[in-house]
Amino acid sequence: GDTDLASNAQFYLGEIAFMENKFQQALDAYTKVIENYPKSFKLASARMRRGFCLAELGRKSAAIRELRSVVREYPGTEEAKRAAAKLREMGATAG
């Protein structure tokens, strides 16, 4: 839908799939948040989680690009900190 909570609901569909290790399904859900709700307060979280999904799916270079963009575009946020930690875990730099 197009209510104020639609992006939130879409994000949590991604969270459920992620917790069930359904990473492609989660990736699709997070991508819908990003594409359909560009002003969502869940945007930074959706982008971070999309990076995590890409890593789980073995798409390392795409994951690194996504996580670096979170660090760059949302500095000082919890999402940026978690993205930077995941980058370190993957052996990549945040810059």
Side-chain angles (χ1 to χ4, degrees), residues 23-93:
F23 300 114
Q24 184 61 54
Q25 186 178 335
L27 178 67
D28 295 342
Y30 297 131
T31 299
K32 284 181 184 176
V33 173
I34 295 160
E35 291 176 353
N36 297 338
Y37 309 100
K39 296 190 186 318
S40 171
F41 62 93
K42 289 290 189 188
L43 197 59
S45 294
R47 294 199 55 204
M48 177 196 69
R49 295 298 262 177
R50 187 164 77 166
F52 291 0
C53 287
L54 290 165
E56 292 292 339
L57 292 167
R59 296 168 56 188
K60 185 176 180 177
S61 60
I64 290 170
R65 276 193 308 276
E66 187 71 34
L67 294 169
R68 282 181 176 161
S69 71
V70 171
V71 171
R72 186 176 54 253
E73 294 176 30
Y74 306 98
T77 63
E78 187 61 32
E79 290 85 358
K81 291 174 190 166
R82 291 180 64 197
K86 183 68 172 175
L87 284 164
R88 284 191 300 275
E89 178 185 311
M90 295 171 66
T93 62

